[in-house]
Amino acid sequence: MSCLQDTSLAEANSFSPSMPISPSSMINQYKFEDEPELKDLFVTVDDPESHITAIETFITYRVVTKTSRGEFDSCEYEVRRRYQDFLWLKSKLEEAHPTLIIPPLPEKFVMKGMVERFSDEFIETRRKALHKFLNRIADHPTLTFNEDFKIFLTAQAWELSSHKKQGPGLLSRMGQTVRAVASSVRGGVKNRPEMFAEMNEYMETFSHKINILDKIAHRIYKEEREYFNEMKEYGPIHTLWSASEEDIADSLKGVASCIDKCCKATEKRMAGLSENLLPIIHEYVLYSEILMFSEEIGKLEDKVECANNALKADWDRWKQNMQYDMRSAFTNVADNNLRYYEECLATWESFLASQTVDHHGEEDSEDRP
Amino acid sequence: FYLTNVRTVLFFRAVESQNEGQCSPVDSLWRRYSEFELLRNYLLVTFPHIVVPPLPEKRADFVWHKLSADNMDPDFVERRRIGLENFLLRVASHPVLCQDKIFYSFLTQEGGWKEMVNETGFQLKADSRLKALNATFRVKNPDKRFTELKHYSDELQSVISHLLRVRARVADRLYGVYKVHGNYGRVFSEWSAIEKEMGDGLQSAGHHMDVYAASIDDILEEEEHYADQLKEYLFYAEALRAVCRKHELMQYDLEMAAQDLTSKKQQCEELATGTVRTFSLKGMTSKLFGQETPEQREAKIKVLEEQIQEGEEQLKSKNLEGRDFVKSAWADIERFKEQKNHDLKEALISYAVMQISMCKKGIQVWTNAKECFSKM
């Protein structure tokens, strides 16, 4: 594809700021993932499976790809990958595209909490994050056409192993990049220190805030879960009580049923949080870790090609995505809460209606102004 | 009348409102909690067949963490004031209790009330705890309805305390959920400083999160009143048991008196006919040491006959007493049952109303927040 060549050319040669970039590669760079009509590659990660060998135990995930792209021999692929394979892919992408923002992978180990390495919760969280990782790549105008990405999605296990062992191709590309960087620095290329400073300042604050948000979101989840646990016990007491009563047995059972329904509703609310907000915020915590620019010149040159339009474009794209993701994640939280309160409201209102129907025309209805 | 609370000390002022044209010598006076207790103890002893309304708790119980367990806490004192007022209203609206003179003077007589109560000597009439316990274990034929009622009151007490305990924990957790959302406000505000397009949405959303977090305080305070309504019936369970205990005591007394009478009659018969049907120490000693003279025997029989006559009269009156007690106690219990059913149903309805209000507030806040988020 012509645009693929253009982009890689653009990257290799764009250390001089005045290099024109072909229009078609521009289109690719500014394409956003919220335009499903343009998507021609769909990836899912699911079905974690445990494998036990003599040496180790590990989990593989099923990666399903559906595509209409010409360069794929088939339109559907199903392979199994383990975490190591994802790590490999990430490092290949970082090597090939040093100026682009590569999406983060979920952590290797979980330090905090008492989540066991292979607990269901851990595996599910990781699976969701791996799914996100591949989708970020698939939706990226440049990364989506990366050759290693294609191999990752399509190769059988033995094919991938042998491909991984290939070295030379990478080194030569790596060498080219390093040489280009060195020449740009030596050549006194006009860097854009203001842009770098701006990005760094932004990321410092962003990183700080997103980490706090991460903690808050987890804390809210924890509190909601504790509330749910107590609520589970609350309803049944009313049912128990109704067994010793006659006249008020129905009212008590009614209250018990309302509480149980609200309990279920709060469980849904919790699930919504863990499916949406928590993973998104956590992904951005990881993003902020890789985007935090260190003061070492070496890292600086690797990641922040100040003169590089590609990075600037990618940076803008990242910010756009972040805005979109945050907006939709928090809107989703609001929706979850609205749904929760509306469900509870309906439950209690119907209980109230049932009580005041057979209420013997008491004071409250007469005293109402 | 109504109660107002003055200062943070334990005095409550009872203010009597216009009551059927009766001119009270004093319009308002001060009463300590201990005087309320004295009044109640007097009523318990004087009207054992009545389910006497309970006092609110002396110490804060079933608290969740935010509510202090401090007895001097103004919220607690205020709720106690309401509880005491409720107690007086219950007594005043009771067809039997409201007529009592001691109660009336509790409301109207400033000084010397305590002495007046003690002069009634009610403490002497009180049944000893030990006696009552003994009766409970040994009574043979209590009225089945009272036995059932005792079981019911045990169940009621157990289930309400369980409910109150869990409710307190639920309140605690709910408080946590709401308050944690308050943390959003500050972070959103700080984050909005570095964002151009997202800034406004974040900032205003943060404000709504603050509102959400703050709303829980009023919600839970209202719920405390609901808890107090349940607590009243928790304490009523004890009052029910007291009536059952009194019945058991009277019944046991009756059974003992009947047993005593029977044994005396038997003794009399044995002396008259000379046959010993039951083992008795006297019988044995007379066998060992010689029988008594006919004169001695006559004297004994005479004494016994007198005692038997006394006993029969006593038994008759105890029987009557017992039946009267059962009748009037059961009438009050029926009255109590209706009151309880009405009050608890009202309480459950008010709980539903509170939940509805909480949900509506939540919907409003999150609708506002959603709008802000969508503008991010």
Side-chain angles (χ1 to χ4, degrees):
Chain A
M1 281 178 68
S2 60
C3 41
L4 173 64
Q5 289 166 346
D6 281 351
T7 11
S8 47
L9 263 176
E11 272 187 58
N13 298 327
S14 60
F15 300 115
S16 48
S18 51
M19 169 73 191
I21 300 175
S22 80
S24 40
S25 71
M26 292 272 289
I27 291 170
N28 273 341
Q29 288 183 350
Y30 290 100
K31 178 175 76 177
F32 296 124
E33 40 265 63
D34 48 343
E35 291 168 354
E37 323 88 52
L38 299 174
K39 243 177 108 128
D40 56 4
L41 183 77
F42 298 85
V43 184
T44 53
V45 177
D46 60 17
D47 190 33
E49 240 175 44
S50 174
H51 298 257
I52 306 172
T53 70
I55 318 163
E56 54 177 349
T57 310
F58 59 91
I59 305 273
T60 61
Y61 302 84
R62 187 176 73 149
V63 178
V64 176
T65 306
K66 291 195 175 76
T67 179
S68 57
R69 287 189 197 162
E71 65 268 30
F72 284 78
D73 294 331
S74 164
C75 50
E76 199 171 320
Y77 291 89
E78 192 181 305
V79 297
R80 294 209 76 94
R81 297 285 179 251
R82 55 185 291 190
Y83 184 77
Q84 260 178 29
D85 301 328
F86 286 84
L87 277 174
W88 169 85
L89 176 62
K90 180 162 152 85
S91 64
K92 298 293 289 178
L93 293 173
E94 282 169 343
E95 281 171 19
H97 309 275
T99 64
L100 296 184
I101 299 169
I102 310 297
L105 271 177
E107 296 101 326
K108 218 168 183 174
F109 308 108
V110 178
M111 286 306 175
K112 61 169 183 212
M114 290 134 300
V115 181
E116 273 280 315
R117 191 164 151 237
F118 287 135
S119 81
D120 287 342
E121 202 186 314
F122 174 77
I123 292 171
E124 176 58 14
T125 307
R126 184 176 260 201
R127 183 201 65 77
K128 282 204 279 253
L130 293 175
H131 175 92
K132 201 80 227 265
F133 171 74
L134 290 182
N135 274 278
R136 291 274 192 211
I137 299 170
D139 294 336
H140 192 288
T142 309
L143 297 176
T144 192
F145 298 111
N146 178 281
E147 191 58 32
D148 290 311
F149 180 50
K150 173 161 172 277
I151 292 173
F152 178 93
L153 293 177
T154 59
Q156 287 309 303
W158 61 269
E159 287 175 319
L160 182 64
S161 297
S162 76
H163 176 80
K164 276 191 192 182
K165 292 196 180 102
Q166 289 171 21
L170 322 165
L171 284 175
S172 63
R173 212 188 314 183
M174 184 66 165
Q176 188 180 33
T177 309
V178 169
R179 264 176 270 131
V181 166
S183 75
S184 84
V185 169
R186 273 197 304 272
V189 164
K190 297 143 212 89
N191 287 331
R192 282 189 264 170
E194 330 83 50
M195 191 187 103
F196 163 70
E198 188 190 301
M199 279 166 69
N200 204 32
E201 215 180 287
Y202 174 88
M203 279 317 296
E204 244 186 79
T205 309
F206 179 83
S207 167
H208 186 245
K209 300 313 157 197
I210 202 71
N211 271 286
I212 294 177
L213 270 177
D214 188 50
K215 289 199 186 71
I216 294 175
H218 275 98
R219 182 75 192 279
I220 290 179
Y221 181 80
K222 176 173 168 277
E223 294 289 341
E224 283 185 7
R225 190 179 52 206
E226 310 264 323
Y227 173 67
F228 169 70
N229 285 335
E230 296 296 349
M231 282 290 272
K232 275 195 292 193
E233 212 189 313
Y234 194 33
I237 300 178
H238 294 79
T239 310
L240 183 68
W241 186 357
S242 73
S244 351
E245 298 288 343
E246 280 164 21
D247 273 39
I248 58 173
D250 284 336
S251 306
L252 284 167
K253 281 191 244 183
V255 170
S257 145
C258 285
I259 293 176
D260 286 339
K261 290 202 185 104
C262 291
C263 197
K264 287 199 176 69
T266 209
E267 196 178 22
K268 270 198 270 184
R269 179 173 66 164
M270 258 166 56
L273 207 62
S274 114
E275 264 163 39
N276 260 290
L277 189 70
L278 296 185
I280 281 280
I281 292 192
H282 198 68
E283 195 195 5
Y284 278 94
V285 165
L286 294 173
Y287 259 125
S288 75
E289 279 166 18
I290 51 179
L291 291 175
M292 280 287 275
F293 308 115
S294 89
E295 277 144 29
E296 298 165 19
I297 295 294
K299 289 226 177 90
L300 204 151
E301 284 169 345
D302 266 348
K303 292 206 183 291
V304 186
E305 299 295 329
C306 298
N308 189 337
N309 286 333
L311 177 63
K312 173 74 168 72
D314 213 36
W315 168 245
D316 286 338
R317 184 180 162 274
W318 182 86
K319 285 195 74 180
Q320 282 255 3
N321 281 350
M322 188 274 292
Q323 183 176 351
Y324 174 82
D325 286 340
M326 290 300 166
R327 180 174 62 230
S328 76
F330 280 105
T331 307
N332 176 270
V333 166
D335 276 331
N336 278 347
N337 275 286
L338 279 171
R339 199 176 6 229
Y340 164 75
Y341 280 113
E342 274 158 10
E343 257 187 67
C344 293
L345 178 69
T347 297
W348 286 107
E349 276 183 337
S350 101
F351 167 77
L352 194 67
S354 76
Q355 295 300 294
T356 46
V357 157
D358 33 56
H359 207 50
H360 311 301
E362 294 288 353
E363 326 86 20
D364 52 286
S365 53
E366 287 165 23
D367 283 359
R368 246 190 270 286
Chain B
F1 60 80
Y2 53 91
L3 278 182
T4 66
N5 186 20
V6 192
R7 300 187 231 137
T8 52
V9 192
L10 316 145
F11 285 90
F12 299 87
R13 202 170 84 203
V15 182
E16 174 128 43
S17 63
Q18 306 279 302
N19 198 359
E20 295 170 350
Q22 278 182 2
C23 264
S24 36
V26 181
D27 279 333
S28 77
L29 42 73
W30 298 84
R31 291 283 179 229
R32 294 185 64 121
Y33 187 87
S34 58
E35 290 173 295
F36 281 85
E37 281 182 314
L38 187 59
L39 172 65
R40 183 163 193 270
N41 287 337
Y42 163 80
L43 291 173
L44 277 173
V45 174
T46 314
F47 302 95
H49 61 291
I50 300 287
V51 182
V52 178
L55 286 172
E57 52 198 354
K58 200 165 191 179
R59 276 171 293 277
D61 216 347
F62 301 112
V63 290
W64 54 281
H65 87 273
K66 186 236 171 189
L67 228 50
S68 76
D70 177 20
N71 293 339
M72 289 307 173
D73 180 72
D75 284 333
F76 175 71
V77 174
E78 170 61 13
R79 284 180 23 244
R80 203 165 6 130
R81 182 194 69 75
I82 294 174
L84 290 173
E85 189 176 274
N86 191 49
F87 165 75
L88 290 180
L89 285 167
R90 292 271 194 213
V91 176
S93 58
H94 190 285
V96 174
L97 298 178
C98 70
Q99 318 224 11
D100 185 84
K101 298 225 166 33
I102 296 286
F103 172 61
Y104 180 72
S105 42
F106 179 88
L107 296 174
T108 56
Q109 186 177 321
E110 179 96 57
W113 178 81
K114 248 186 165 159
E115 291 72 28
M116 197 169 129
V117 185
N118 290 327
E119 268 165 33
T120 63
F122 80 91
Q123 277 112 339
L124 302 168
K125 288 194 247 161
D127 299 314
S128 89
R129 204 62 174 164
L130 201 60
K131 217 170 112 189
L133 204 63
N134 184 49
T136 300
F137 282 128
R138 296 196 179 182
V139 68
K140 295 203 183 89
N141 273 326
D143 186 313
K144 281 216 168 64
R145 293 177 297 174
F146 284 91
T147 314
E148 273 168 27
L149 185 68
K150 215 169 53 154
H151 287 151
Y152 170 74
S153 71
D154 285 339
E155 277 168 13
L156 189 71
Q157 179 168 17
S158 153
V159 84
I160 294 186
S161 10
H162 190 196
L163 200 154
L164 287 171
R165 261 197 310 272
V166 177
R167 191 211 70 89
R169 291 205 300 259
V170 169
D172 215 357
R173 291 304 171 194
L174 192 63
Y175 183 80
V177 171
Y178 272 75
K179 286 300 178 191
V180 173
H181 278 84
N183 291 325
Y184 272 140
R186 179 156 158 209
V187 166
F188 280 171
S189 174
E190 291 170 357
W191 181 11
S192 72
I194 54 169
E195 299 291 343
K196 289 189 206 101
E197 288 167 41
M198 287 169 69
D200 287 336
L202 275 174
Q203 184 92 316
S204 44
H207 160 74
H208 291 299
M209 291 295 98
D210 286 337
V211 170
Y212 182 66
S215 67
I216 191 65
D217 294 311
D218 285 342
I219 290 169
L220 287 178
E221 199 181 299
E222 249 198 279
E223 240 187 59
E224 272 320 298
H225 293 290
Y226 166 72
D228 284 340
Q229 286 175 289
L230 293 184
K231 265 184 226 173
E232 194 195 10
Y233 279 93
L234 174 68
F235 302 142
Y236 254 124
E238 178 52 39
L240 278 177
R241 269 205 296 277
V243 176
C244 295
R245 271 200 303 272
K246 183 67 182 178
H247 164 75
E248 282 170 346
L249 198 61
M250 291 178 77
Q251 179 66 16
Y252 177 69
D253 232 10
L254 186 67
E255 286 170 5
M256 286 294 101
Q259 198 178 312
D260 190 50
L261 188 64
T262 310
S263 102
K264 285 206 163 73
K265 282 186 176 166
Q266 213 161 47
Q267 271 180 51
C268 206
E269 203 198 312
E270 284 167 15
L271 282 176
T273 60
T275 54
V276 181
R277 240 175 280 168
T278 58
F279 174 82
S280 78
L281 196 57
K282 271 228 182 95
M284 281 315 292
T285 51
S286 64
K287 272 219 163 109
L288 291 171
F289 299 109
Q291 303 223 333
E292 355 163 71
T293 67
E295 292 80 24
Q296 282 174 326
R297 220 183 319 147
E298 276 304 317
K300 276 208 188 122
I301 289 176
K302 198 141 191 214
V303 166
L304 274 174
E305 277 176 349
E306 272 173 35
Q307 286 178 343
I308 286 168
Q309 185 157 29
E310 238 179 80
E312 277 188 331
E313 274 168 32
Q314 262 190 24
L315 192 65
K316 227 195 214 156
S317 75
K318 276 198 182 172
N319 234 318
L320 214 65
E321 249 181 66
R323 274 209 292 272
D324 276 344
F325 178 88
V326 165
K327 191 160 144 214
S328 48
W330 206 255
D332 197 54
I333 285 164
E334 290 295 338
R335 180 206 62 82
F336 167 78
K337 276 189 189 165
E338 266 199 54
Q339 172 198 299
K340 170 207 77 164
N341 287 335
H342 174 267
D343 289 348
L344 287 177
K345 190 161 173 183
E346 291 282 307
L348 292 172
I349 288 175
S350 80
Y351 186 72
V353 169
M354 275 186 264
Q355 298 307 303
I356 287 171
S357 150
M358 179 171 89
C359 290
K360 286 191 175 156
K361 281 190 204 159
I363 288 173
Q364 180 161 62
V365 164
W366 282 102
T367 304
N368 293 338
K370 180 176 171 177
E371 215 190 295
C372 299
F373 286 138
S374 64
K375 294 204 186 105
M376 264 163 63

